[in-house]
Amino acid sequence: MIVEIEGVRKVYQSPDGEIGALQDISFSIEEGEFISIVGPSGCGKSTLLSIIAGLEKPSAGVIRVDGEKSRGVNPKIGYMPQKDELFPWRTIWQNVTLGLEVHRQMDQEHQAFVRRLLARYGLAQFMDCVPSQLSGGMRQRCALIRTLATGPRILLLDEPFSALDYQTRLSVAGDIHRIIRQEGKTAILVTHDISEAVSMSDRVAVLSARPGKLKCIQDLSELHALSPMRRREHAHFHRYFNDIWKELELCG
Ligand code: ADP
Ligand code: MG
């Protein structure tokens, strides 16, 4: 188990009193697995991801990464937050190497690694451009490369495609899925889009409405070898979609 989530609860304090965001969440993620978390808006998906990232403390429960209790930010984890903007005044190169700069890892080896990622994913000739010169899908790939640059083994992605139009979304989801598989990463994706979850993941965890409780986990591992596009054509795609939809409806 690369990530273990055990009895996690989160209560926020607000001027109107306490807000229960998560309740008794427990599940584990295996190395190399792609898991999605779906649930109604406000059920605590982003909260859970930022707790796994070590940016927020749970009110109760523990997160273990590689068997070790998590204490704050962990270099094994790369986190793409929901509002992940590239800096408009920095070039693509300056954006994708930002993490290296912050972690003082701007050595030849890391720079060469980022150059390879840019080349492999079709962005090498845009290194000196600024983000506004790129399409939405290209910017999303940059954000992912920036997250991969520091070499995390686990990627946390919070609704990474929500700002894209439908067609771009399909192709970028395909790209990002391929990059994550090729780089052999473990991924946890938060989305409110069931189709997206079914098209990309080995398992889907369904959270109920606030405070988010773990409703069920759907196993889709029979689709593991297929690309997101191929999965959408798979005979069982709609069955999985309907099963998850029913669970979500029951969450009310
Ligand atoms: P989701 O990502 O599933 O839409 P969030 O994790 O963002 O949900 O939020 C879960 C609940 O916790 C929401 O009701 C939200 O308003 C509340 N919440 C999130 N962050 C804070 C915070 N920093 N302070 C108070 N309440 C918060
Ligand atoms: Mg959210």
Side-chain angles (χ1 to χ4, degrees):
M1 292 301 163
I2 190 164
V3 180
E4 291 162 89
I5 300 156
E6 205 178 285
V8 164
R9 188 161 62 86
K10 180 71 184 179
V11 179
Y12 286 112
Q13 308 298 331
S14 84
D16 305 324
E18 294 190 335
I19 299 174
L22 291 169
Q23 205 172 324
D24 290 330
I25 307 279
S26 299
F27 62 99
S28 302
I29 298 141
E30 283 182 50
E31 175 112 53
E33 193 178 22
F34 196 124
I35 190 162
S36 289
I37 300 171
V38 299
S41 180
C43 75
K45 302 181 294 297
S46 296
T47 301
L48 181 56
L49 222 55
S50 54
I51 289 174
I52 299 171
L55 296 167
E56 295 241 30
K57 276 199 174 144
S59 310
V62 288
I63 304 289
R64 284 197 199 83
V65 179
D66 277 334
E68 271 178 45
K69 194 174 164 187
S70 154
R71 294 172 214 285
V73 180
N74 185 330
K76 292 175 186 166
I77 298 181
Y79 175 52
M80 249 172 87
Q82 195 164 355
K83 291 190 190 70
D84 192 56
E85 295 296 334
L86 299 171
F87 290 109
W89 61 88
R90 291 178 72 112
T91 64
I92 295 308
W93 174 254
Q94 290 167 339
N95 266 292
V96 292
T97 54
L98 186 67
L100 297 182
E101 226 177 277
V102 172
H103 295 292
R104 298 181 201 282
Q105 294 176 323
M106 275 297 255
D107 50 78
Q108 291 299 326
E109 199 180 322
H110 278 96
Q111 290 192 42
F113 173 60
V114 175
R115 278 207 187 84
R116 278 202 302 279
L117 288 176
L118 286 168
R120 197 179 305 161
Y121 302 117
L123 293 164
Q125 63 271 49
F126 299 95
M127 277 185 17
D128 300 321
C129 296
V130 290
S132 62
Q133 294 172 285
L134 270 59
S135 70
M138 291 161 93
R139 285 203 295 271
Q140 215 57 24
R141 291 207 294 273
C142 288
L144 183 66
I145 291 173
R146 177 173 67 184
T147 311
L148 291 171
T150 53
R153 284 164 52 210
I154 306 160
L155 296 172
L156 309 180
L157 313 168
D158 196 350
E159 311 232 16
F161 315 118
S162 51
L164 305 173
D165 63 75
Y166 183 66
Q167 244 120 87
T168 312
R169 208 181 158 104
L170 290 184
S171 89
V172 175
D175 281 351
I176 289 195
H177 184 264
R178 184 169 47 89
I179 297 172
I180 288 172
R181 287 277 193 239
Q182 280 177 356
E183 306 296 326
K185 304 295 179 188
T186 303
I188 309 177
L189 170 83
V190 159
T191 176
H192 58 258
D193 182 338
I194 307 175
S195 306
E196 193 166 280
V198 179
S199 75
M200 296 183 79
S201 344
D202 299 314
R203 287 191 298 158
V204 179
V206 180
L207 297 190
S208 69
R210 209 186 75 201
K213 283 194 231 96
L214 184 62
K215 190 80 189 22
C216 69
I217 299 188
Q218 282 276 343
D219 191 335
L220 318 178
S221 47
E222 67 165 318
L223 307 177
H224 178 86
L226 302 177
S227 71
M229 226 35 133
R230 284 262 167 271
R231 285 172 179 225
R232 286 174 189 266
E233 297 159 359
H234 191 276
H236 290 162
F237 183 85
H238 288 103
R239 198 195 77 208
Y240 286 129
F241 182 97
N242 285 330
D243 287 350
I244 295 169
W245 177 251
K246 264 189 221 126
E247 293 291 345
L248 275 172
E249 280 205 313
L250 294 173
C251 298

